[in-house]
Amino acid sequence: ARIDPEAAEAMPALAGIALSALSTARLVDANHAKLAIVVEPRDGLGRFLQVTGTLRASVAVLIPGRDPIPAGSATLSPKALRDAYRSAFLGTHYTLEMPLAWEGAESARAVSVSLEFTDALTGKAYPAQGTVPVVADRPAGR
């Protein structure tokens, strides 16, 4: 069936993905952290768009005076990405949680996150990157 050209032009289409400022990295000990990567796919008008595809993440910890240290990577398949969908009072997004580990006794100050989403329908890859500060994990009850 042919679609009306105006309707085709109005159909939502992925324009890019972004690493949200809601992303968090919590220090567990000197060389381990828990990272929650919050990803927001957006259409051409900047609105959230639900997507289907594969999300890949690579993370390096940043310690002053040292080169970036690889600390973790993850791949979410289309089904796993669907399971990572979240919608709450803070907005709609996808959340990828991953443990981080690195060599040395020095605590990281931030993590550098590199993302790539590959759309299952078009095969097109959409990159994103950003830095997330590392905060100390609070003991329970405080």
Side-chain angles (χ1 to χ4, degrees):
R2 287 180 52 112
I3 187 166
D4 178 317
E6 183 180 355
E9 224 176 275
M11 287 180 70
L14 183 61
I17 65 167
L19 177 67
S20 170
L22 297 175
S23 299
T24 59
R26 299 204 176 279
L27 197 61
V28 176
D29 60 34
N31 57 353
H32 292 89
K34 294 178 189 174
L35 176 63
I37 300 171
V38 178
V39 180
E40 298 175 334
R42 298 288 177 191
D43 70 7
L45 297 175
R47 299 175 294 201
F48 176 85
L49 184 69
Q50 197 165 355
V51 294
T52 301
T54 303
L55 180 67
R56 291 177 182 78
S58 296
V59 180
V61 296
L62 305 176
I63 299 170
R66 294 184 64 182
D67 289 337
I69 304 166
S73 64
T75 299
L76 291 184
S77 67
K79 185 178 180 322
L81 183 62
R82 181 183 67 196
D83 293 342
Y85 175 87
R86 305 285 182 267
S87 186
F89 70 95
L90 290 176
T92 306
H93 56 273
Y94 293 90
T95 299
L96 165 59
E97 295 180 351
M98 60 189 295
L100 303 178
W102 59 93
E103 296 295 321
E106 298 148 304
S107 296
R109 300 265 179 92
V111 295
S112 176
V113 179
S114 178
L115 301 170
E116 183 177 83
F117 171 73
T118 303
D119 188 290
L121 300 175
T122 65
K124 186 173 178 184
Y126 296 86
Q129 62 281 327
T131 304
V132 177
V134 175
V135 296
D137 209 5
R138 289 187 175 139
R142 289 192 185 178

